[in-house]
C-alpha cells in the first residue's frame, strides 16, 4: 500500500511530488487549461475514434522473442519421439512452475518473499493433468514375440479412459488459466478467472451473497469516448475534489464553482458559483441527488493565496442549486468561524469535522444539529464517516499522547450509541464503513509506506466491542487511507460481511515485466481470508470501486497497449463479468492513464465511466507535450 503522507489541513499546501496529483505538464498551444480541439475523430468525439485519433504513431510493440536456432520456420533438431496430446489440449508444464496468477520464483537479492504470495493456498502448477497419455501402439514386452494386440473391447476401454482424462484435464487447465486468452480474446460477457461457478444470487456455503447488482453487461462492452474536460487554469495547488452522477448529469467541482454536464456530450447544463474554493466534498448522495460540500469563505487572490475553509453547504444536484450554506462558531473561538477540513452525509445529517471539532446540520434546512463544545477531557470530533449510518473518530489526550475513540452516533442528536477505544500507538484512524462499522489505522506507524493502514478493526456498532482485528500487511495489500482524513479510504470495498482488498502488484506468468494483481477478501467476523480471489489477468491491475448490491464493481488499469476495463465481480461465485472495455488507441489510452489512481475519482454507473482529478496545479516546464485533463469519460450506451 503506497500513499504519500498528508499535510496538516490548515498549512499552505506544498508543491505536489513529481507526477503527484496528476499534475499537468507543459500546456498545449493556446495556453494551459484552454480546451484542446483534437483533429476530426480525435479524443473526446462521441463516436468511436479512428485508430490514429491524434495522428500519433501506434505504441511500439515489444520486440519479438529470440528465434529458435536456425531461425523461424526452421525444423527443430531431431530428438527422441514423444507422444503429444491431442489438438487443443494443454502441453505438459515445465517443472516447478508456480500456479496461474502467482508470481514466479523471485530472483535472489530482490527482497521478494519466498513463500506463496499473499497467503494464497498452494495449487498444482497450472492445473495440468499429470497422467501420461496411453500410447496408441504398446511397446513390445521384454522377451516376447512382438507386440501384444489388444482385443477390440480393451481398445474401446482404453480410448474412453484417455478421452475422459483429457477432457477433465483440459477443463481444470481452462478454469485455472481463465481461458488462456488475452483480454481481447475473452468472451465479451466476461471471464471467470477466480471460479467457474455461475452467479445465481442467494447465499453460498461461505455466507456471501451475489448476483444482486444493478449493473449488467451491455450487448457490446466495447466503449466509445464520451467527452473530456481540460484542466482549469490555476496558479497554485488547488483542490477539485468532488464528482457525482445523477440521472441526467455528471457533476464536477471546478474552481470556485460546481458544474453539471450532460452525461454523454459534456455540454454544461448548469453552474453553481461559490464564494470560494471547495475544500472538502462527500461522495455520499441521497436518492433524490442531494449532497454536501465544505468551501472557503473567500476567493483566492494574488495577495491572499490561502482562504479559510469555514463554509458548509448542501447541493441539490437535480436542480443545480446550492440550497444553503453557513458557518458556525464555537465557545473556544469567540466570533471566529470554525474551520473544517472534511464533510460527510448520513441520511439527512450533514456532518463536518476538523481540528476545532465537529458540527452537524439538517440537509434540507441547514438548521444546526450540534456544534463544537467545550470538553473537560480535551476531546473533540476529528471527523465523521457517513453513508448508511454515522460514526465519528473522537480525539482525546495530548498531541504527544493521543487517545482515539470510535463512536457510533445517533445522526439526529449526535448522541453516542457505543464507544470503542483504539489501542495505544494509533495517532490517526479512518472510517472505512459505518454499516458494518470498519476502521483502518496504522498502528505504531508499522505500515511503513504511508498508506495509513496496518490493520482493520471490525467493531460491533451496537455494543462498541471489537469483533476482530485484521492485520493487513502493507507489502501485500494495496488499499490506502489519508491518515489526516477520517473518510478518505480508497481501492477497497465492504459488503457481504467482508472487506475486499487489492493485492500489491507482483510478477505474473509469461513474459518479463508482466505485472498483475488480485482482489481478495477477509471475513469481518473471523478475520480470516475467505479464499475469494479475482485475478486482474496478465499485465492488468485491479482494484474495487464500490459495492453494487452484493457484487463488487472494480476497475482494471491497462497495460501499455490496451484500454482499461470495468468489471463486476459476483459476491458469491467471484465470477468476473466485463461491463466496459475501453479503446486501446494510443491517444485515448494516454488520456485514460494520465490520472494517478491515488489522486483520482472513478465513477461508474449505467454504462458510463468518469475519471477525474481531485487536485490540480499550475503548469510546469517540461519537455513533454502531453495533454492533461480534468475529466475523461467513456460510455457503452
Amino acid at each position: 500500500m503506497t500513499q504519500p503522507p498528508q499535510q496538516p489541513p490548515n498549512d499552505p499546501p506544498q508543491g505536489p511530488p513529481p507526477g503527484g496529483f496528476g499534475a499537468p505538464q507543459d500546456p498545449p498551444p493556446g495556453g494551459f487549461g484552454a480546451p484542446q480541439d483534437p483533429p476530426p475523430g480525435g479524443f473526446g468525439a462521441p463516436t468511436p475514434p479512428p485508430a490514429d485519433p491524434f495522428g500519433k504513431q501506434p505504441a511500439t510493440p515489444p520486440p519479438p522473442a529470440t528465434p529458435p536456432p536456425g531461425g523461424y520456420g526452421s525444423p527443430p533438431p531431431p530428438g527422441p519421439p514423444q507422444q503429444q496430446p491431442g489438438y487443443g489440449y494443454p502441453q505438459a508444464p515445465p517443472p516447478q512452475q508456480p500456479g496461474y496468477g502467482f508470481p514466479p520464483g523471485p530472483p535472489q537479492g530482490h527482497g521478494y518473499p519466498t513463500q506463496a504470495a499473499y497467503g494464497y493456498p498452494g495449487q498444482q502448477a497450472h492445473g495440468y493433468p499429470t497422467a501420461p497419455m496411453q500410447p496408441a501402439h504398446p511397446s513390445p514386452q521384454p522377451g516376447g514375440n512382438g507386440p501384444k494386440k489388444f482385443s477390440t473391447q480393451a481398445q474401446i476401454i482404453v480410448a474412453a479412459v484417455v478421452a475422459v482424462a483429457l477432457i477433465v484435464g483440459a477443463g481444470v487447465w481452462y478454469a485455472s488459466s481463465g481461458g488462456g486468452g488475452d483480454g481481447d480474446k475473452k468472451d465479451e460477457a466476461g471471464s471467470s478467472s477466480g471460479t467457474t461457478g455461475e452467479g445465481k444470487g442467494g447465499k453460498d456455503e461461505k455466507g456471501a451473497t451475489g448476483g444482486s447488482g444493478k449493473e449488467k453487461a451491455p450487448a457490446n462492452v466495447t466503449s466509445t469516448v464520451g467527452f473530456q474536460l481540460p484542466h482549469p487554469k490555476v496558479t497554485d495547488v488547488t483542490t477539485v475534489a468532488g464528482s457525482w452522477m445523477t440521472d441526467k448529469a455528471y457533476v464536477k467541482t471546478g474552481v470556485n464553482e460546481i458544474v453539471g454536464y450532460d452525461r454523454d456530450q459534456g455540454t454544461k447544463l448548469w453552474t453553481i458559483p461559490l464564494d470560494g474554493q471547495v475544500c472538502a466534498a462527500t461522495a455520499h448522495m441521497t436518492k433524490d441527488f442531494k449532497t454536501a460540500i465544505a468551501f472557503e469563505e473567500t476567493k483566492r487572490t494574488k495577495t491572499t493565496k490561502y482562504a479559510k475553509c469555514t463554509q458548509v453547504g448542501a447541493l441539490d444536484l437535480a436542480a443545480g442549486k446550492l440550497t444553503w450554506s453557513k458557518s458556525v462558531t464555537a465557545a473556544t473561538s469567540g466570533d471566529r468561524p470554525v474551520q473544517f477540513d472534511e464533510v460527510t452525509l448520513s441520511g439527512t445529517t450533514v456532518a463536518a469535522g476538523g481540528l476545532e471539532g465537529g458540527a452537524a446540520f439538517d440537509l434540507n434546512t441547514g438548521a444546526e444539529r450540534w456544534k463544537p463544545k467545550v470538553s473537560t477531557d480535551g476531546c473533540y470530533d476529528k471527523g465523521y464517516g457517513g453513508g448508511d449510518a454515522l460514526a465519528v473518530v473522537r480525539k482525546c489526550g495530548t498531541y504527544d499522547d493521543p487517545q482515539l475513540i470510535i463512536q457510533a452516533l445517533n445522526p439526529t442528536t449526535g448522541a453516542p450509541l457505543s464507544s470503542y477505544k483504539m489501542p495505544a500507538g494509533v495517532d490517526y484512524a479512518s472510517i472505512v464503513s459505518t454499516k458494518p462499522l470498519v476502521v483502518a489505522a496504522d498502528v505504531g506507524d508499522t505500515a511503513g509506506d504511508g498508506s495509513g493502514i496496518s490493520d482493520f478493526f471490525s467493531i460491533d456498532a451496537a455494543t462498541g466491542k471489537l469483533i476482530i482485528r485484521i492485520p493487513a500487511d502493507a507489502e501485500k495489500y494495496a488499499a490506502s487511507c489519508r491518515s489526516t482524513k477520517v473518510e478518505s479510504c480508497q481501492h477497497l470495498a465492504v459488503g457481504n460481511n467482508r472487506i475486499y482488498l487489492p493485492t500489491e502488484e507482483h510478477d505474473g506468468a509469461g513474459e518479463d515485466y508482466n505485472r498483475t494483481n488480485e482482489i481478495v477478501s477477509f471475513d469481518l467476523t473471523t478475520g480470516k481470508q475467505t479464499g475469494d480471489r479475482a485475478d486482474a489477468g496478465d499485465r492488468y491491475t485491479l482494484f474495487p470501486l464500490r459495492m453494487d448490491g452484493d457484487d463488487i464493481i472494480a476497475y482494471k488499469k491497462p497495460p501499455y497497449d490496451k484500454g482499461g476495463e470495468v468489471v463486476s465481480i459476483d459476491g458469491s461465485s467471484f465470477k468476473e463479468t466485463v461491463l466496459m472495455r475501453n479503446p486501446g488507441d494510443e491517444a485515448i489510452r494516454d488520456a485514460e492513464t494520465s490520472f494517478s489512481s491515488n489522486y483520482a475519482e472513478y465513477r461508474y454507473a449505467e454504462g458510463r465511466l468518469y475519471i477525474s482529478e481531485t487536485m490540480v496545479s499550475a503548469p510546469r516546464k517540461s519537455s513533454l507535450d502531453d495533454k492533461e485533463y480534468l475529466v475523461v469519460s467513456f460510455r457503452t450506451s
Side-chain angles (χ1 to χ4, degrees):
M1 294 182 243
T2 55
Q3 176 79 5
Q6 303 299 316
Q7 324 170 56
N10 296 323
D11 288 349
Q14 303 298 319
F21 313 134
Q25 308 297 321
D26 277 353
F32 181 78
Q36 307 303 319
D37 296 323
F43 180 74
T47 55
D52 188 20
F54 278 124
K56 296 183 180 180
Q57 295 300 317
T60 304
T66 304
Y72 291 107
S74 300
Q82 296 181 1
Q83 182 66 39
Q84 298 296 325
Y87 176 76
Y89 293 102
Q91 303 295 319
Q96 298 181 349
Q97 292 296 318
Y100 175 80
F102 293 92
Q108 293 296 325
H110 285 73
Y112 291 103
T114 56
Q115 59 187 7
Y118 313 117
Y120 299 130
Q123 53 179 306
Q124 197 171 25
H126 297 280
Y128 291 109
T130 56
M133 294 183 61
Q134 177 71 29
H137 302 286
S139 303
Q141 301 297 319
N145 297 321
K148 281 189 177 182
K149 291 184 178 180
F150 281 4
S151 67
T152 301
Q153 182 178 10
Q155 292 180 29
I156 293 173
I157 293 172
V158 170
V161 171
V162 170
V164 170
L166 288 175
I167 291 172
V168 172
V172 172
W173 168 79
Y174 188 89
S176 300
S177 67
D182 60 28
D184 291 335
K185 294 179 182 177
K186 294 177 184 176
D187 186 292
E188 285 194 340
S191 63
S192 54
S193 338
T195 64
T196 55
E198 295 181 2
K200 299 179 181 179
K203 291 191 175 183
D204 67 2
E205 67 277 6
K206 296 177 291 185
T209 56
S212 66
K214 295 180 180 179
E215 306 293 350
K216 305 299 180 183
N220 182 5
V221 300
T222 301
S223 70
T224 57
V225 175
F227 61 88
Q228 87 278 1
L229 302 176
H231 265 263
K233 189 178 295 185
V234 296
T235 59
D236 210 334
V237 176
T238 303
T239 299
V240 287
S243 56
W244 306 266
M245 294 178 65
T246 75
D247 57 345
K248 296 177 181 175
Y250 168 73
V251 183
K252 177 61 185 171
T253 294
V255 178
N256 302 320
E257 63 182 7
I258 306 288
V259 183
Y261 301 90
D262 179 89
R263 297 199 305 177
D264 297 328
Q265 304 301 322
T267 52
K268 283 188 179 182
L269 301 178
W270 45 260
T271 300
I272 301 173
L274 301 172
D275 293 337
Q277 180 57 39
V278 169
C279 41
T282 178
H284 301 301
M285 182 173 56
T286 63
K287 292 182 178 179
D288 57 349
F289 310 119
K290 293 178 181 177
T291 190
I293 57 172
F295 57 99
E296 296 172 356
E297 57 191 8
T298 59
K299 292 181 174 64
R300 300 179 184 182
T301 66
K302 291 182 179 179
T303 57
T304 308
K305 292 186 178 181
Y306 309 106
K308 295 178 179 179
C309 187
T310 61
Q311 303 297 305
V312 179
L315 301 175
D316 184 337
L317 303 180
K321 294 181 178 179
L322 177 69
T323 55
W324 57 263
S325 64
K326 59 175 52 182
S327 61
V328 297
T329 59
T332 56
S333 64
D335 295 333
R336 179 177 55 83
V338 172
Q339 297 188 62
F340 301 106
D341 53 32
E342 53 187 305
V343 66
T344 193
L345 176 66
S346 179
T348 60
T349 295
V350 176
L355 295 176
E356 298 177 86
F361 311 85
D362 184 283
L363 174 66
N364 298 314
T365 66
E368 289 182 14
R369 289 190 169 170
W370 67 84
K371 65 179 185 178
K373 299 178 181 178
V374 175
S375 173
T376 56
D377 55 4
C379 298
Y380 65 94
D381 289 0
K382 174 65 180 69
Y384 303 91
D388 293 334
L390 187 65
V392 64
V393 173
R394 191 161 174 81
K395 196 164 189 176
C396 304
T398 64
Y399 177 83
D400 295 330
D401 185 23
Q403 172 65 66
L404 300 188
I405 301 173
I406 310 300
Q407 293 181 330
L409 301 181
N410 180 316
T412 303
T413 65
L417 303 176
S418 65
S419 296
Y420 170 74
K421 285 187 177 182
M422 296 292 287
V426 176
D427 295 334
Y428 301 97
S430 299
I431 295 174
V432 178
S433 167
T434 58
K435 193 174 182 180
L437 183 54
V438 181
V439 173
D442 185 358
V443 181
D445 296 326
T446 55
D449 63 347
S451 65
I453 305 173
S454 68
D455 298 82
F456 293 99
F457 297 78
S458 176
I459 301 169
D460 186 335
T463 64
K465 293 182 179 179
L466 179 68
I467 298 173
I468 197 71
R469 175 174 167 176
I470 305 172
D473 189 336
E475 293 185 358
K476 293 182 179 181
Y477 306 106
S480 63
C481 301
R482 295 177 62 185
S483 59
T484 58
K485 301 287 185 180
V486 167
E487 195 176 50
S488 63
C489 298
Q490 57 186 357
H491 300 171
L492 46 68
V494 173
N496 305 323
N497 197 43
R498 296 173 181 179
I499 185 166
Y500 298 96
L501 303 175
T503 65
E504 290 282 6
E505 292 183 15
H506 57 78
D507 290 338
E511 62 186 77
D512 292 338
Y513 309 113
N514 173 19
R515 305 291 286 173
T516 188
N517 80 325
E518 301 79 34
I519 289 177
V520 297
S521 71
F522 290 84
D523 188 286
L524 292 175
T525 300
T526 66
K528 295 181 179 180
Q529 194 168 321
T530 64
D532 291 336
R533 171 192 170 99
D535 294 309
D538 286 349
R539 303 188 300 141
Y540 286 86
T541 54
L542 179 69
F543 58 83
L545 298 181
R546 62 177 175 87
M547 296 299 298
D548 175 30
D550 297 318
D551 302 336
I552 305 102
I553 303 297
Y555 176 74
K556 285 188 177 184
K557 294 172 58 179
Y560 77 95
D561 56 348
K562 296 182 182 296
E565 295 183 2
V566 177
V567 298
S568 176
I569 303 172
D570 188 285
S572 177
S573 68
F574 243 54
K575 175 181 178 180
E576 294 180 42
T577 299
V578 177
L579 302 177
M580 173 181 286
R581 182 175 293 127
N582 295 335
D585 306 78
E586 182 181 4
I588 300 174
R589 185 182 67 249
D590 287 349
E592 179 180 4
T593 58
S594 65
F595 298 84
S596 167
S597 62
N598 286 330
Y599 298 100
E601 293 172 332
Y602 293 77
R603 302 286 183 256
Y604 176 86
E606 300 177 348
R608 296 170 177 85
L609 171 67
Y610 304 90
I611 309 174
S612 68
E613 297 284 14
T614 59
M615 193 169 290
V616 295
S617 62
R620 295 182 300 167
K621 290 184 178 181
S622 171
S623 59
L624 300 177
D625 191 25
D626 295 334
K627 293 181 180 178
E628 297 290 335
Y629 301 93
L630 175 66
V631 179
V632 298
S633 70
F634 302 88
R635 59 190 174 97
T636 57
S637 58

